[in-house]
Amino acid sequence: MDDLRQKYIEAIANAADESALEDLRVQAVGKKGEVALKMRELGKMTPEERQVMGPKLNALKDEINSALAAKKSALADAALDERLRTEWLDVTLPGRGRRQGSIHPISQVTEEVAAIFADMGFSVAEGPQIESDWHNFDALNIPGHHPARAEMDTFYMHRAEGDNRPPHVLRTHTSPVQIRSMEIAGAPLRVICPGRVYRADYDQTHTPMFHQVEGLAIDKDISMANLKWVLEEFVKAFFEVDDVELRFRASHFPFTEPSAEVDIRCSWEGGQLKVGEGDDWLEILGSGMVHPKVLMAGNIDPAAWQGFAFGMGIDRIAMLKYGIPDLRAFFDSDLRWLRHYGFASLDTPTLHGGLSR
Ligand code: PHE
């Protein structure tokens, strides 16, 4: 019996896995196992022998059973340990360092501009990029023979054979959205219209597609003074400075009367632009009081209503604010450029949270 005990206790201790353990259980304490065979021999013994051997065999059976159970749970523990070891994960490691995508400076600046004007009660309006000749020109007091048409380097859409209507154009400015906004909403009105515009031009400061934002405010008592205040508020908020000086230069646009181009005081010390101080002036936009003919084209009575309008280059103010030297790089999709000049995607510009941080 001692041989039997030693044989099985040792074999159980060395069992490699659960199925080896099961084989041992059948061999040792199964119905036809070695312990059962010994039990059968009890019948041939004398009652005295039986009284000694019976309990011993039962004790051996119990001992083997509990060795099997202990080994079984030891094997399960080892399996769990192994799994935990291979599936180990260091949750204290820092997150991914490099951000996967970023917000393009044009999108960033458009959001910044919208946030600033929203605070002054302007909503955002949009219009089509393929625009009717009428909305892009005539309605803005630029008739067919007007030299402004030639100056704009307009892209014309293809016209079907025999179609004598004026061809549509890729809009050359965002001003047609003035007309569309008046048509849709009437007066009073306060909108900005950001978007893509197109002109056939290409050099360091010109690309055939670029971005403008139009502003239009129409009400009963609107003057150049309102225009000046709104633009000053905008420039201070946009360039994130406390004080700015604007210069209104008399100019001419067919759709505004009077018209002014607006410059901001700045300096270029060491090639770095500083807004608000210095001896230089930087042109940033065109503006004026909406021409009565333009109000009429938008179905608004010029005897009852007045308004101001302005148009600004988004790419241009983005270059100025963020020190980007070449306009063409905006549209090259160069990943290195995008990583350098792009903005974190979760930093939405707001006036309370900060525009650019
Ligand atoms: N549309 C003009 C341009 O593209 C800008 C402008 C808009 C001027 C509104 C005056 C008023 O240059």
Side-chain angles (χ1 to χ4, degrees), residues 172-188:
T172 57
H173 50 181
T174 43
S175 299
V177 192
Q178 284 190 37
I179 306 296
R180 292 186 175 274
S181 301
M182 289 188 257
E183 287 172 335
I184 292 166

Side-chain angles (χ1 to χ4, degrees), residues 57-250:
L57 274 172
N58 272 326
L60 176 60
K61 192 175 169 188
D62 289 348
E63 196 181 342
I64 289 173
N65 271 327
S66 58
L68 282 165
K71 181 67 180 177
K72 191 172 174 179
S73 86
L75 281 173
D77 283 353
L80 181 62
D81 281 348
E82 173 64 13
R83 205 177 135 202
L84 288 174
R85 208 174 52 75
T86 55
E87 292 179 8
W88 179 82
L89 180 74
D90 185 354
V91 296
T92 67
L93 283 174
R96 267 170 211 249
R98 167 162 293 300
R99 57 177 188 236
Q100 293 291 294
S102 60
I103 301 296
H104 194 283
I106 298 292
S107 307
Q108 168 76 17
V109 165
T110 304
E111 288 297 320
E112 292 181 19
V113 169
I116 297 168
F117 280 105
D119 197 52
M120 295 191 273
F122 287 74
S123 50
V124 174
E126 286 181 313
Q129 294 173 47
I130 298 173
E131 187 53 283
S132 75
D133 181 79
W134 187 81
H135 282 94
N136 195 81
F137 294 122
D138 300 76
L140 291 162
N141 194 30
I142 313 174
H145 55 80
H146 200 284
R149 290 202 179 204
E151 279 162 28
M152 288 233 194
D153 306 305
T154 310
F155 287 109
Y156 289 92
M157 303 300 288
H158 181 70
R159 196 167 33 172
E161 192 95 36
D163 186 347
N164 292 321
R165 288 171 304 177
H168 275 55
V169 301
L170 290 180
R171 68 179 179 195
T172 57
H173 50 181
T174 43
S175 299
V177 192
Q178 284 190 37
I179 306 296
R180 292 186 175 274
S181 301
M182 289 188 257
E183 287 172 335
I184 292 166
L189 186 62
R190 235 183 271 179
V191 286
I192 58 162
C193 327
R196 295 181 175 175
V197 299
Y198 303 83
R199 293 179 198 178
D201 207 351
Y202 188 74
D203 62 32
Q204 195 181 340
T205 51
H206 296 91
T207 48
M209 184 281 297
F210 59 106
H211 301 79
Q212 285 188 337
V213 58
E214 194 82 6
L216 174 66
I218 295 176
D219 216 317
K220 295 268 178 197
D221 266 318
I222 285 211
S223 72
M224 290 289 274
N226 302 113
L227 169 67
K228 185 161 188 276
W229 182 83
V230 164
L231 292 178
E232 274 169 2
E233 287 300 299
F234 167 74
V235 169
K236 277 192 280 186
F238 180 74
F239 288 104
E240 301 177 58
V241 291
D242 292 332
D243 242 328
V244 285
E245 199 181 329
L246 295 188
R247 181 171 76 174
F248 282 63
R249 251 183 314 106

Side-chain angles (χ1 to χ4, degrees), residues 296-337:
M296 282 194 290
N299 298 321
I300 288 176
D301 177 7
W305 303 93
Q306 296 154 299
F308 67 72
F310 59 85
M312 195 160 42
I314 292 182
D315 322 71
R316 180 169 169 80
I317 60 172
M319 288 169 79
L320 293 172
K321 179 167 181 179
Y322 294 112
I324 301 168
D326 192 324
L327 174 66
R328 292 169 294 193
F330 274 94
F331 313 115
D332 282 345
S333 303
D334 182 329
L335 274 180
R336 293 163 305 172
W337 188 94

